[in-house]
Amino acid sequence: MNVSMTINGEAVSREVEARTLLVHFIREDLDLTGTKIGCDTSQCGACTIHVNGKIAKACTLLAAQADGADITTIEGLAENGEHHPMQTAFWENHGLQCGYCTPGMIMASAAFVRDNPGASEDDIRHYLEGNICRCTGYHNIVKAVKQVADAAAGGA
Amino acid sequence: MALRSMVGANIKRKEDPGLINGAGKYVGDIKLPGMAHVAFLRSPYAHADILGIDRAAAESRQGVHAVITGADLQDKWETVPVAGGRKARANYSHYAISAERVRHVGEIVAAVIAESAEIAADALDEIVVDYAELPAAADLLTAYAGAAPPIFAGLDSNIVDTGEKKSDDVDAVFENAPHTLRQRMHSQRVAGVPMEVRAVLAAPDAVTGGLTLWTSTQIPHGVRSALAEALRLPENTLRVIAPNVGGGFGVKNQLYPEEMALAKLAQLHNKPMRWSGTRAEHFISTTHGRSQIADVEVAFDDEGRILGLRLHVIGELGAYPPFYDIAHLTGLMATGNYDIPAVHFKASNVFTNTVAVAAYRGAGRPEAIYYIERAIDLVAGELDIDPANVRRRNYIQPDQFPYKTPTGSTYDTGEYEKNLDTALRAADYHTLRTEQAQRRADDAGSLLGIGMATYVEMCGFGPYESGVVRVEPSGTVTVYTGTSPHGQGLQTTFAQVVADEIGADYDDIVVRHGDTSSQPVGVGTFGSRSLAVGGSAIVRASKVVREKAIKIAAHMLEAAPGDIEFADGEYRVKGVPGSSLSLSQIAKRAYSERLPDDIDTGLEGTDFFRPPDFIYPFGTHIAVVEIERETGLISLRDYFSVDDCGPRISPLLVAGQIHGGLAQGIGQALLEQVIYDEQGQLLTGTMMDYTMPRADDFPHFSLDQTVTETTLNPLGAKGIGEAATIGSTPAVVNAVMDALRPLGLRHIDMPLTPRRIWEAMQSA
């Protein structure tokens, strides 16, 4: 079947099998491998992307379900060559080690802070339940997200 | 960036710009032209004979290139490397695709090569294997007791490797001691669970007749050597690349059957091929950790001085363990930070029909520290002495180093009491105890527990590590290391070291790793060794560069080499301030025709560091927990970690290692457990069933440090990768048991889930 969508501002159209998961479509058909796969059961959040501005785990959707959608992946988060503030905050706060959970973690956090400027540390820890990291103990991830949340509240 | 001293500076990682934008390439992200995909059929039984395999239907599917069984390859390769040397490999191993018998759920019995991963996976369903199921030795204690059949022919029992260390007077000590106590403890089976599942890509190399293998490993050099031997290929025709690797934690630390299979299949079919494992495959095929049962017995006096220790460790090996070392490492660290004069240590390693138990962050040392730190708290409870004081009374004193333990370790340096006091101050320990006393008196609110653990660990494994420091003609610097970082941030740390050692600009340094074709032979990244051993090799290689730069500078400045000094990042004539040369100026000359005859062209150094012995970092952790009386729900209120790993090159990265280590150690204490049923079926084979720690399981971690250098390497650095995992498990369990002490509860085995706590509270 044919699916068409906008990914990172670019219109794409491909023939896929009906069973193709969105995450496989993004990684294998479009070669956007920044979106990762860390489990088979939708726990880990490594494949988190934005679909029409909302976060989604790309392993829980078929490519066909995203037909016509506007999708942003980690590769499309920076604007005009400038890192998104969440990317910068992860770098500045040592919020990543092996980097494998990082794209999903950043995509989830960026959407969360956009919708929840000024979120508390507790809010952030609770929200990040859907994204698993094995390296950082979440400490510096939470710190990075809090930094952006504080800045967002300050600017509001 | 031209900080005069990069060492000790908090700087952002060099690694991150390529990771925060999704550009990082892990094995599963790499595609080669004409690449085929491999899927593995794995045994659903823990123990079975393979009577026959019907692959006709699978092979006839469109897009399937071939279905390969173990019988097809049996004479074409060696068995998978296992512990115990040549005899063990002949008798207690298997082929990477097993041919006759399987010994754990998840063992590979066939491989499908197809044009896509989906087609390969579909074809697996059409392979029919005729198995004759055998009784399984799935449970450690049952297997130890001899109540399960031996898993290999020719064995009388499943106990295959034992060890013992006994002080002459230990039995007399126990006989005459004022007090003794005994406790059985489990360090339960857990899984490493790096976020990147293992994956392998193999491609034939037409030039050498060998192969290039991209694999998610901690030891590319080790994989190359073992693979060459297993595939009967010359080592120099193999190139092993560990690209971005998404975490290791010890479980990517050996040659795996999938690496052998991909290499062999790519070679036979003369085609590049990739296998990207699923998480379900990972849980059943990647080694697990811990899984020990220990009988701990201590003899002590009225003041809580430990007079003797008996420790018998029953360690699980699973099937086909890559090494037997884990329980022996437990023995080497059995006495922890304490001066215990008489010890009897015994290890019994046991085969079971489960995936192998091998290295996992700490490997043997977390178990040892867990046992002794729990025992110290049991002694404190028995005598009603503050657990901090029992520790104080038993510590090895600073003037006793180097200290030889009764089980054969030689601790390098340590200052344990100072470290303990720093932690007690950080936690405001006495105020916490006052709060606890008040709460107990009121008999209201949640139960408050305060737990501590002091740890020491052995790390910095040899036998050597390699380093190359090359100043390019332009003056930029390329560093090659034989270590193989996968999140540790060594590109940053090693650049900091080299910047200071030779006067290079930090921003002009590139650190390369993880490719056997471009580096000197190396060992890898595990056992908290990378800075202490790998960093020391880099220091030595830098010294070669610096000495040559001084010679060239002397020539350029028309001075004697003895009159040149390297200071403030520059090379100059002593006492002549205007005479300085930068590394770039010297590099330009090093590759020019204007060098004198007695100086060779180029400006680079290669060197190795061979550590004379292990190094022993240490620390004290304090956990504060609250337990809901109605539900047994534990919340970790505060956590204090005071770690001593010697001088810190990259303080930000050291803190990151501690945070991650804490999460894994606390995860073992409270959440994580791998469970097999009595048939050897894995019940915790997905992230739905295996509890991974989440962000809201942890409080804000409070970190502090003491600094005690080692004398055994030029950086004075000890390891930090595993330390926090080791300290945190007993600190948290001690805190929970401290909370439950008024109920008369003495010990509960991990993981301390609300259910276990609630059940214990009901029975109290």
Side-chain angles (χ1 to χ4, degrees):
Chain A
M1 62 186 300
N2 183 272
V3 294
S4 302
M5 60 191 86
T6 304
I7 295 211
N8 301 330
E10 201 176 312
V12 299
S13 187
R14 296 279 195 285
E15 283 298 318
V16 298
E17 279 189 75
R19 64 173 174 171
T20 305
L21 292 175
L22 181 57
V23 68
H24 291 138
F25 178 70
I26 291 171
R27 287 177 48 80
E28 303 296 333
D29 294 271
L30 303 179
D31 287 324
L32 292 170
T33 55
T35 301
K36 302 299 182 198
I37 301 173
C39 71
D40 324 318
T41 49
S42 299
Q43 259 76 44
C44 81
C47 65
T48 306
I49 57 169
H50 297 177
V51 179
N52 297 327
K54 290 188 173 160
I55 65 156
K57 291 182 176 178
C59 70
T60 63
L61 292 169
L62 296 166
Q65 287 174 284
D67 192 42
D70 183 8
I71 287 177
T72 307
T73 69
I74 188 71
E75 289 92 342
L77 193 63
E79 277 182 30
N80 307 320
E82 294 279 312
H83 284 141
H84 184 281
M86 196 59 75
Q87 291 173 306
T88 307
F90 268 64
W91 190 12
E92 283 176 353
N93 291 286
H94 186 30
L96 60 148
Q97 291 182 28
C98 82
Y100 198 82
C101 77
T102 308
M105 202 63 91
I106 288 177
M107 294 306 286
S109 303
F112 175 66
V113 168
R114 182 197 62 205
D115 298 340
N116 301 275
S120 70
E121 179 172 337
D122 273 358
D123 293 339
I124 294 166
R125 285 184 183 274
H126 180 68
Y127 172 81
L128 288 178
E129 261 191 339
N131 289 77
I132 298 178
C133 169
R134 192 57 154 171
C135 294
T136 65
Y138 304 97
H139 187 98
N140 289 339
I141 292 175
V142 173
K143 203 169 149 191
V145 179
K146 184 83 172 69
Q147 180 181 306
V148 183
D150 287 350
Chain B
M1 209 182 285
L3 266 180
R4 187 159 302 162
S5 177
M6 293 304 296
V7 167
N10 269 318
I11 41 178
K12 293 188 291 184
R13 296 203 314 174
K14 279 182 180 284
E15 288 84 348
D16 294 359
L19 296 173
I20 56 177
N21 58 6
K25 290 286 180 202
Y26 302 78
V27 176
D29 300 333
I30 302 169
K31 274 184 185 171
L32 295 179
M35 179 176 89
H37 295 261
V38 174
F40 291 111
L41 186 69
R42 296 175 183 276
S43 170
Y45 296 110
H47 201 189
D49 280 326
I50 302 167
L51 302 180
I53 299 182
D54 181 353
R55 53 184 150 180
E59 253 181 341
S60 66
R61 280 185 81 98
Q62 198 176 357
V64 171
H65 300 326
V67 177
I68 309 292
T69 69
D72 298 338
L73 299 175
Q74 222 166 340
D75 58 344
K76 296 188 171 65
W77 54 5
E78 304 295 328
T79 55
V80 179
V82 292
R86 194 185 287 271
K87 181 174 169 275
R89 190 158 173 185
N91 297 303
Y92 312 148
S93 186
H94 64 142
Y95 289 97
I97 300 174
S98 292
E100 287 157 1
R101 181 171 286 186
V102 289
R103 293 182 182 83
H104 69 85
V105 167
E107 193 167 334
I108 297 170
V109 296
V112 175
I113 306 168
E115 64 189 43
S116 78
E118 290 76 16
I119 294 170
D122 287 346
L124 294 181
D125 291 341
E126 299 200 24
I127 303 172
V128 181
V129 184
D130 187 9
Y131 290 103
E133 200 181 349
L134 299 164
D139 173 66
L140 173 57
L141 275 187
T142 312
Y144 172 72
I151 77 165
F152 290 101
L155 280 178
D156 298 331
S157 83
N158 283 309
I159 304 171
V160 282
D161 175 67
T162 57
E164 193 163 7
K165 275 266 181 189
K166 190 173 180 182
S167 312
D168 293 338
D169 54 346
V170 67
D171 292 331
V173 165
F174 270 86
E175 219 161 284
N176 299 320
H179 309 272
T180 62
L181 65 80
R182 189 185 160 89
Q183 180 66 51
R184 171 164 282 198
M185 303 177 198
H186 293 209
S187 182
Q188 83 276 24
R189 188 172 181 127
V190 291
V193 202
M195 292 314 296
E196 183 210 14
V197 170
R198 289 188 295 113
V200 187
L201 166 62
D205 182 339
V207 176
T208 64
L211 292 151
T212 302
L213 195 84
W214 289 259
T215 182
S216 183
T217 187
Q218 302 171 223
I219 50 160
H221 297 278
V223 166
R224 185 181 68 137
S225 299
L227 194 62
E229 202 264 333
L231 262 52
R232 303 170 189 150
L233 284 171
E235 200 170 23
N236 59 359
T237 66
L238 294 178
R239 175 183 181 190
V240 176
I241 300 172
N244 283 129
V245 172
F249 312 112
V251 306
K252 297 176 179 174
N253 203 29
Q254 69 249 25
L255 180 68
Y256 271 100
E258 293 86 353
E259 290 165 327
M260 287 175 61
L262 265 287
K264 191 77 213 167
L265 296 176
Q267 194 191 18
L268 288 176
H269 290 254
N270 196 29
K271 201 180 206 357
M273 35 188 93
R274 190 179 84 192
W275 163 74
S276 294
T278 64
R279 181 59 69 188
E281 277 186 290
H282 188 84
F283 273 114
I284 54 173
S285 69
T286 299
T287 57
H288 298 154
R290 314 286 188 260
S291 205
Q292 288 186 357
I293 293 168
D295 286 315
V296 189
E297 201 177 350
V298 284
F300 52 102
D301 68 14
D302 295 335
E303 275 76 49
R305 275 185 205 89
I306 313 292
L307 309 171
L309 167 72
R310 285 180 177 141
L311 178 63
H312 178 202
V313 169
I314 301 168
E316 184 165 11
L317 297 170
Y320 321 119
F323 27 77
Y324 290 155
D325 304 340
I326 310 287
H328 301 295
L329 289 169
T330 303
L332 287 168
M333 296 313 300
T335 51
N337 305 59
Y338 309 108
D339 187 13
I340 302 175
V343 179
H344 184 184
F345 171 77
K346 208 176 138 202
S348 309
N349 278 316
V350 184
F351 281 143
T352 57
N353 287 116
T354 64
V355 77
V357 177
Y360 169 54
R361 205 168 192 169
R365 292 95 86 207
E367 295 91 318
I369 297 302
Y370 177 68
Y371 307 140
I372 190 70
E373 288 303 297
R374 284 293 299 125
I376 293 281
D377 264 36
L378 292 175
V379 168
E382 191 99 344
L383 298 173
D384 205 15
I385 301 176
D386 190 304
N389 290 336
V390 176
R391 287 180 169 79
R392 222 182 271 284
R393 282 167 202 176
N394 287 287
Y395 280 148
I396 299 158
Q397 296 302 310
D399 61 4
Q400 288 177 278
F401 292 93
Y403 174 88
K404 233 175 142 38
T405 72
T407 55
S409 297
T410 304
Y411 296 176
D412 52 353
T413 55
E415 223 173 318
Y416 302 151
E417 195 164 0
K418 181 172 138 193
N419 183 272
L420 171 79
D421 285 329
T422 307
L424 295 177
R425 270 197 307 276
D428 200 359
Y429 182 69
H430 295 291
T431 307
L432 283 172
R433 285 288 179 207
T434 308
E435 182 189 349
Q436 183 183 49
Q438 187 61 49
R439 249 206 249 182
R440 283 178 181 171
D442 298 346
D443 198 21
S446 57
L447 302 169
L448 178 64
I450 305 147
M452 70 184 70
T454 302
Y455 70 86
V456 55
E457 70 134 333
M458 60 187 301
C459 63
F461 294 80
Y464 70 90
E465 196 48 88
S466 60
V468 173
V469 175
R470 176 181 302 151
V471 186
E472 311 284 1
S474 62
T476 60
V477 178
T478 310
V479 177
Y480 299 87
T481 172
T483 67
S484 195
H486 40 280
Q488 291 82 356
L490 298 175
Q491 294 178 27
T492 302
T493 303
F494 288 173
Q496 288 175 266
V497 169
V498 170
D500 280 6
E501 288 288 325
I502 65 172
D505 191 319
Y506 170 82
D507 291 331
D508 287 340
I509 301 171
V510 168
V511 179
R512 294 188 182 276
H513 56 79
D515 183 345
T516 60
S517 74
S518 62
Q519 291 144 17
V521 176
V523 179
T525 288
F526 57 88
S528 307
R529 67 186 301 279
S530 290
L531 178 63
V533 188
S536 296
I538 301 277
V539 169
R540 289 172 63 101
S542 298
K543 192 168 169 233
V544 173
V545 170
R546 195 172 61 230
E547 283 172 358
K548 184 157 184 192
I550 285 174
K551 260 170 89 175
I552 298 171
H555 166 71
M556 291 169 76
L557 296 169
E558 296 175 349
D563 291 332
I564 301 293
E565 64 175 359
F566 171 67
D568 303 329
E570 293 176 327
Y571 298 80
R572 66 190 181 206
V573 180
K574 285 178 197 162
V576 186
S579 67
S580 66
L581 289 171
S582 69
L583 186 69
S584 297
Q585 288 171 301
I586 295 169
K588 195 173 284 176
R589 183 64 66 95
Y591 294 94
S592 76
E593 290 169 345
R594 295 162 58 213
L595 271 185
D597 291 345
D598 63 340
I599 300 180
D600 291 334
T601 298
L603 189 55
E604 71 174 72
T606 298
D607 212 337
F608 295 79
F609 179 68
R610 197 167 62 195
D613 201 345
F614 296 105
I615 43 183
Y616 294 85
F618 56 92
T620 303
H621 290 194
I622 297 178
V624 184
V625 301
E626 306 239 11
I627 303 176
E628 262 183 25
R629 289 171 194 250
E630 298 77 14
T631 61
L633 189 72
I634 298 169
S635 64
L636 193 51
R637 186 174 97 179
D638 282 303
Y639 200 96
F640 303 91
S641 181
V642 180
D643 302 279
D644 192 326
C645 59
R648 299 180 178 196
I649 310 294
S650 312
L652 193 66
L653 275 55
V654 169
Q657 287 295 308
I658 294 169
H659 297 148
L662 291 177
Q664 282 178 309
I666 296 167
Q668 180 175 13
L670 299 179
L671 303 166
E672 299 180 41
Q673 184 173 24
V674 169
I675 303 169
Y676 281 94
D677 73 7
E678 56 277 19
Q679 276 84 43
Q681 293 295 331
L682 181 64
L683 303 183
T684 51
T686 73
M687 282 192 181
M688 285 193 288
D689 309 293
Y690 186 85
T691 315
M692 292 291 288
R694 261 70 166 186
D696 61 356
D697 290 315
F698 303 114
H700 184 90
F701 298 129
S702 304
L703 270 47
D704 204 343
Q705 61 172 327
T706 58
V707 181
T708 309
E709 289 193 18
T710 183
T711 52
L712 299 182
N713 67 56
L715 290 162
K718 299 188 173 191
I720 195 60
E722 297 157 299
T725 314
I726 298 170
S728 53
T729 306
V732 170
V733 175
N734 282 342
V736 172
M737 296 318 300
D738 181 61
L740 298 175
R741 212 180 137 219
L743 307 181
L745 293 166
R746 203 170 89 142
H747 182 79
I748 304 172
D749 277 318
M750 302 182 290
L752 300 176
T753 56
R755 177 183 168 164
R756 283 192 185 181
I757 300 299
W758 188 85
E759 283 173 353
M761 287 166 82
Q762 301 313 303
S763 70

